[in-house]
Amino acid sequence: MSVASPLVADLAKHLRSRILAGEYAPEAKVTESGLAAEYGVARPTVRSAIELLAGEGLLVRSPFAAVRVPAIPLSERDELVTVLRFTEDLALDRIRSQQPDVRELRQAASGSLHGMLATLVRVSGSPRLEPIHRRTTFELMLLTQQHPGELASPDDAAAHATMRSFADAVATERFPEASALLEQLQDLRDGGVRAGGRAASSRSRR
């Protein structure tokens, strides 16, 4: 995967925050020319930023159609939750077996719950799990924003104590405790939803 230039990365970051904040309605069209004029950058820069966000599931580029913000149907909620839980469970298993440097988890415990769980997957060192988890997290965030009241946003303030305990348990290799705390964090993130297809087999390994 090629590394985006700083200008492309900055533009993608700004657009990402606007999309996740709900500034663009579901199915809203996004044009290269409009963004280029708004930000005062060249269209190839905009095109590259759009490609980054399309890879994250935050924009959709269809053949012969305008780039748009996807509408995430509520019917996909359980599937998104299941994928996130499964990748996080696998990440914890990988950390237990390979013992990578997990000091970054302690720092992440003071941030957002979404960020903490993304850090868990990142420090596991899996090149396969991270892009899946990143995209699915953004899609769940879009769903939460597009269907207010149907899936609660995580209460980061309430989660911080559990996040710190989880980071400590992982760092000191108390993995049964870490597994239980991870499930608590997942429930907070998912608004208490217990997806029917969640990774029961992963739990049974503990």
Side-chain angles (χ1 to χ4, degrees):
M1 181 185 298
S2 60
V3 178
S5 71
L7 182 57
V8 170
D10 286 346
L11 177 57
K13 180 180 180 180
H14 197 264
L15 290 173
R16 185 185 299 113
S17 66
R18 293 173 66 184
I19 293 169
L20 291 174
E23 187 172 330
Y24 294 95
E27 302 293 344
K29 294 180 180 178
V30 177
T31 66
E32 290 181 8
S33 58
L35 291 174
E38 180 180 356
Y39 285 96
V41 297
R43 288 185 63 168
T45 299
V46 173
R47 189 174 304 120
S48 295
I50 286 174
E51 291 303 320
L52 279 177
L53 297 181
E56 296 173 348
L58 293 175
L59 290 174
V60 175
R61 184 193 289 277
S62 303
F64 311 109
V67 177
R68 58 184 175 79
V69 175
I72 310 295
L74 192 59
S75 60
E76 293 185 8
R77 174 178 59 183
D78 282 359
E79 182 175 293
L80 295 174
V81 166
T82 298
V83 171
L84 285 173
R85 288 178 179 260
F86 187 67
T87 54
E88 291 154 4
D89 290 347
L90 287 179
L92 185 58
D93 283 346
R94 182 182 173 94
I95 289 171
R96 178 172 58 181
S97 64
Q98 301 196 13
Q99 299 182 328
D101 186 348
V102 296
R103 287 176 293 182
E104 190 180 351
L105 271 180
R106 293 186 186 275
Q107 298 175 347
S110 61
S112 72
L113 180 51
H114 283 302
M116 170 71 165
L117 294 171
T119 301
L120 167 69
V121 177
R122 184 170 61 255
V123 301
S124 75
S126 171
R128 296 176 182 84
L129 294 181
E130 186 176 358
I132 295 170
H133 186 270
R134 180 177 177 84
R135 178 178 179 127
T136 310
T137 295
F138 286 144
E139 289 175 333
L140 183 65
M141 293 171 73
L142 273 182
L143 183 147
T144 302
Q145 176 250 112
Q146 293 175 1
H147 302 275
E150 297 290 344
L151 183 61
S153 297
D155 185 344
D156 291 334
H160 280 152
T162 306
M163 290 160 65
R164 288 192 294 270
S165 296
F166 172 70
D168 289 342
V170 174
T172 55
E173 301 182 12
R174 291 177 282 123
F175 289 108
E177 180 180 348
S179 179
L181 289 166
L182 174 59
E183 186 169 357
Q184 292 179 34
L185 293 174
Q186 290 166 333
D187 285 343
L188 284 170
R189 187 266 318 281
D190 303 338
V193 174
R194 309 288 291 199
R198 62 179 300 188
S201 62
S202 180
R203 298 291 182 209
S204 68
R205 292 198 296 271
R206 296 180 174 80

